[in-house]
Amino acid sequence: MDETFYLTTAIFYPSASPPLHSLYEAIGADALARYHRLLGQPTRFQTGMDEHSAQVERQARELGTDPRQLVDGWAAEWQRAFDRFGVSYDRFIRTTDPDHVRASVEMVRRARDTGDIYKGTYSGWYCIGDNEFKTDAQLVDGRCPDHPTLELQWLEEENYFFRLSAYQERLEALYRDNPSFCEPEHFRREVLAWLREGLRDFSISRAGVEWGIPFPDDPSHRIYVWFDALTNYVTGAGFPDDPESFARWWPADVHVIGMNITRFHCLYWPAMLLSAGLQLPKQVFAHGFMTLRGEKMSKTRGNVVDPADMIRQFGVDGTRYLVLREIPFDRGGDMTEDGLVRRYNAELAHDLGNLVNRTVSMSGRYLEGALPAPGKAAADHELRDAAAAVVERYRAAISSLHFEEALAAVMSLTGATNGYAESQAPWILNKRGETHRLGEVLATMAESCRILGHLMAPFTPSASRSMLEQLGVAPAYDERGNGGPGLDALLAWNGEATADGTRTTAAVPVFPRTELPEATG
């Protein structure tokens, strides 16, 4: 497959370490990247950190350090956390990277050459939590709704502005001709409502600050967040230094972002690209928020979940599975610790983990691990047909970023295979000495488990590898999901991998059962 796939997360606001709700976005994007790699598609996945924030300069001053030293430590910690969670990014971009500085300056220059930049005076309330000026309509009780504990700053200064208003008709045409540019629909409706209100020009520079990219030909200003942060997507594709790479990877296939920044990605960003004479991304997908007891998680609210606690409770793969299974990616949702424990134990430890364990254990105990090709009895064909239907559902769901639906499909095949095991009862076949049928049944169970192992690969990569190794099937991709014959071959029932039978290895629990921590105090 020659067609490339380029996806990005939003670059994250700088902080000492990523909370779980930030990892949620990265894990979801990673699952999509791994899926496209399993398709055999050349894939580029980018994430990173938005480092030119007013709060960085403020915190560095308070700590008596340099802003660059501060963000260097933070970025390293974020990368370690992403690596720990198996986020298989091809680049972790930082807005302090030299090529990104050049890209941001070039984007400003192009907009200026187009006549879309002018100087004016701006006054308004500024939130340092998300680097944004707030209108009165956006405030709740005089505060930023996303950062209610932070004091807003009243700023009045001379800035450079971008003529967003000049792109009203072209953006209306974009959504008329390509409504799926912003998905899902319920977030697109919000974008369209802003568009109907009429677009207003926005500030693209800050004066009187030192931390940031100097504005072209006016070093008394720094490039403000939009022409800095948003530009990272084209930087990562090779703009402007590497035209060959840029032609290969741009336009991006999808920007995965949080629902709170759709205005900037679905209105500001396409206008900026049009001004620069660049193609638009194919899609912006906004995910919902992960909430705790009905409240959006944020460090300013003090209700974040420590990712390290999740790993201790569920492991890396268990955590990756739970955040995408429990929280619908397109809508968001609430989570509770007892709910996570129940789902983990029911679906991973009991249903899937036990299925693989008993399939491998019985194969070793009854047949010394040597399995023939899957059976061809009516019950065997029913399971094969169930697997084919699940694969179709799974592929449709994951392609549209409905990860919880893809995982629900996986669990339905798990249930069908467990039902098959109960109806065929290989333990009874062994007692009766019906060795031939016993081999067919265990081979059919193993074949379904093999397909389950590949379906789980984008979500639980390490557990998937363990499942396939126990089944005697070498993973057809490396640890980053590269290589292999493509997903069609991997998911073919009784395909090349198992046509002549397989030999299972020792059974090892993939998802050990967990319990709620005992209450203290």
Side-chain angles (χ1 to χ4, degrees):
M1 183 181 295
D2 295 329
E3 185 180 355
T4 61
F5 188 81
Y6 176 37
L7 79 156
T8 70
T9 67
I11 52 175
F12 295 95
Y13 295 131
S15 64
S17 61
L20 185 66
H21 58 274
S22 293
L23 285 163
Y24 174 60
E25 179 174 312
I27 291 169
D30 179 68
L32 187 64
R34 288 179 180 272
Y35 172 74
H36 279 273
R37 293 188 187 116
L38 287 179
L39 292 174
Q41 192 168 11
T43 298
R44 182 170 181 79
F45 169 31
Q46 178 168 292
T47 187
M49 183 175 285
D50 176 11
E51 298 182 340
H52 292 131
S53 163
Q55 67 171 325
V56 169
E57 194 168 23
R58 177 180 56 81
Q59 289 188 41
R61 190 183 307 113
E62 292 172 354
L63 295 170
T65 189
D66 178 78
R68 182 58 189 256
Q69 289 182 317
L70 187 63
V71 295
D72 281 349
W74 288 355
E77 184 58 35
W78 277 69
Q79 287 181 265
R80 280 192 291 270
F82 281 11
D83 293 343
R84 189 179 188 188
F85 275 90
V87 178
S88 59
Y89 55 86
D90 295 287
R91 179 172 179 181
F92 185 94
I93 195 168
R94 301 174 57 188
T95 53
T96 51
D97 290 342
D99 63 336
H100 177 70
V101 172
R102 292 191 294 273
S104 296
V105 169
E106 178 64 16
M107 286 291 289
V108 171
R109 284 179 174 155
R110 290 193 178 198
R112 185 177 58 193
D113 292 346
T114 308
D116 287 334
I117 291 178
Y118 64 92
K119 211 170 190 180
T121 301
Y122 190 91
S123 61
W125 292 107
Y126 179 79
C127 175
I128 63 172
D130 52 16
N131 299 315
E132 184 189 353
F133 284 100
K134 300 291 182 179
T135 65
D136 290 340
Q138 290 176 292
L139 302 180
V140 177
D141 296 327
R143 292 182 176 271
C144 170
D146 293 326
H147 303 91
T149 63
L150 296 179
E151 292 288 340
L152 294 171
Q153 299 177 357
W154 179 261
L155 297 178
E156 186 170 343
E157 61 185 31
E158 190 177 55
N159 291 160
Y160 288 94
F161 285 79
F162 177 76
R163 296 185 195 276
L164 181 63
S165 57
Y167 290 87
Q168 178 80 35
E169 292 183 1
R170 295 179 71 177
L171 291 178
E172 289 173 350
L174 168 66
Y175 283 99
R176 183 177 62 249
D177 300 338
N178 182 20
S180 63
F181 178 78
C182 174
E183 291 286 348
E185 182 184 359
H186 46 272
F187 293 136
R188 180 170 68 248
R189 287 197 295 266
E190 293 182 348
V191 173
L192 293 176
W194 293 323
L195 189 56
R196 285 192 296 270
E197 291 174 0
L199 298 177
R200 295 184 299 175
D201 301 347
F202 60 87
S203 169
I204 63 167
S205 77
R206 290 291 311 278
V209 296
E210 297 182 1
W211 180 238
I213 301 171
F215 202 86
D217 305 318
D218 190 349
S220 66
H221 284 251
R222 293 294 183 266
I223 296 176
Y224 186 44
V225 62
W226 314 125
F227 269 77
D228 178 0
L230 292 171
T231 296
N232 90 89
Y233 305 125
V234 291
T235 305
F239 177 84
D241 295 345
D242 190 343
E244 184 177 346
S245 174
F246 191 64
R248 174 173 169 78
W249 294 109
W250 192 260
D253 289 87
V254 60
H255 296 320
V256 176
I257 65 166
M259 57 180 278
N260 59 324
I261 51 177
T262 51
R263 180 195 300 267
F264 316 118
H265 285 78
C266 299
L267 295 175
Y268 290 21
W269 181 226
M272 289 165 55
L273 289 167
L274 290 169
S275 180
L278 301 177
Q279 289 180 275
L280 306 190
K282 296 176 185 176
Q283 187 177 85
V284 177
F285 187 96
H287 64 80
F289 286 142
M290 175 185 290
T291 60
L292 185 66
R293 293 185 293 276
E295 284 192 338
K296 177 191 171 185
M297 295 184 193
S298 76
K299 289 189 174 182
T300 56
R301 286 188 172 97
N303 65 344
V304 298
V305 175
D306 187 344
D309 291 340
M310 291 287 289
I311 290 179
R312 282 189 288 270
Q313 183 81 49
F314 305 110
V316 169
D317 281 337
T319 300
R320 286 174 59 104
Y321 177 89
L322 288 171
V323 296
L324 296 180
R325 178 76 170 101
E326 186 81 358
I327 313 295
F329 202 65
D330 64 324
R331 301 184 301 279
D334 206 41
M335 56 176 280
T336 61
E337 187 175 24
D338 58 343
L340 294 176
V341 169
R342 284 196 299 271
R343 187 179 291 278
Y344 174 92
N345 283 334
E347 296 185 353
L348 294 183
H350 182 269
D351 291 351
L352 179 58
N354 185 55
L355 170 63
V356 175
N357 189 267
R358 67 175 177 168
T359 299
V360 174
S361 295
M362 286 190 289
S363 299
R365 187 163 62 249
Y366 299 156
L367 301 173
E368 297 182 342
L371 295 178
K376 296 181 180 180
D380 309 334
H381 283 304
E382 287 178 7
L383 186 58
R384 178 200 64 191
D385 293 344
V390 161
V391 166
E392 186 174 346
R393 285 171 50 200
Y394 169 95
R395 296 184 70 158
I398 198 170
S399 295
S400 59
L401 282 75
H402 292 169
F403 300 127
E404 82 289 352
E405 294 179 11
L407 290 170
V410 172
M411 285 301 116
S412 70
L413 179 56
T414 302
T417 310
N418 276 316
Y420 170 88
E422 294 301 317
S423 68
Q424 301 305 300
W427 49 91
I428 294 178
L429 295 173
N430 180 64
K431 286 182 180 180
R432 294 175 177 170
E434 298 181 28
T435 305
H436 178 75
R437 180 58 186 158
L438 171 64
E440 288 184 335
V441 168
L442 289 175
T444 301
M445 291 171 60
E447 179 67 352
S448 186
C449 288
R450 181 189 68 82
I451 290 175
L452 287 166
H454 287 302
L455 294 177
M456 289 289 284
F459 301 98
T460 60
S462 295
S464 166
R465 178 173 289 271
S466 176
M467 289 168 61
L468 295 170
E469 287 175 349
Q470 291 181 55
L471 293 164
V473 180
Y477 47 87
D478 63 22
E479 292 182 357
R480 291 178 64 81
N482 294 314
L487 204 57
D488 288 339
L490 294 176
L491 299 181
W493 185 271
N494 196 22
E496 185 176 330
T498 53
D500 298 325
T502 57
R503 181 174 289 276
T504 60
T505 62
V508 179
V510 180
F511 295 106
R513 185 176 174 83
T514 190
E515 301 293 341
L516 276 168
E518 292 186 9
T520 59

